[in-house]
Amino acid sequence: MLGDTLVFPFAAKCSIHNEPLLRGLVSIRYGLFRFSPEFREAQSTLFPNARSFVLGGCRVSPNNPKQRDVKFCPKCREAEQSWKALHYDSQPDRAR
């Protein structure tokens, strides 16, 4: 799952920003997502703990959960938003 990777379940701090990881609810997105190589590279190096969403797979049904509790880094979320504003400002919502 791209939106929920690169964190160990018991990690307490972000490996990039050295910030404590917080807990919060995020939306689960269903369907086939194709992220650009640039986004995947940025995610793994600049904001690996943003976890702004979680991918739930391709099977969509009314009974699927809508949200998930995750651990995230607030600085990673800021970095993700800055990166998206810079790279996707004039493009459709490709990697959100």
Side-chain angles (χ1 to χ4, degrees), residues 25-85:
L25 288 175
V26 297
S27 64
I28 301 174
R29 297 186 182 179
Y30 295 93
L32 178 61
F33 289 81
R34 294 180 188 221
F35 297 97
S36 70
E38 295 84 10
F39 177 79
R40 289 183 306 203
E41 176 67 22
Q43 184 188 43
S44 67
T45 60
L46 302 175
F47 45 89
N49 298 306
R51 265 177 228 92
S52 300
F53 60 90
V54 174
L55 296 180
C58 294
R59 293 187 123 182
V60 181
S61 81
N63 298 329
N64 285 353
K66 306 286 187 252
Q67 294 183 313
R68 180 172 172 191
D69 187 39
V70 298
K71 292 166 68 175
F72 69 93
C73 169
K75 296 279 186 186
C76 280
R77 286 194 174 173
E78 290 174 22
E80 178 184 41
Q81 290 306 312
S82 296
W83 189 91
K84 285 179 177 179

Side-chain angles (χ1 to χ4, degrees), residues 81-90:
Q81 290 306 312
S82 296
W83 189 91
K84 285 179 177 179
L86 183 64
H87 292 85
Y88 294 129
D89 191 29
S90 64

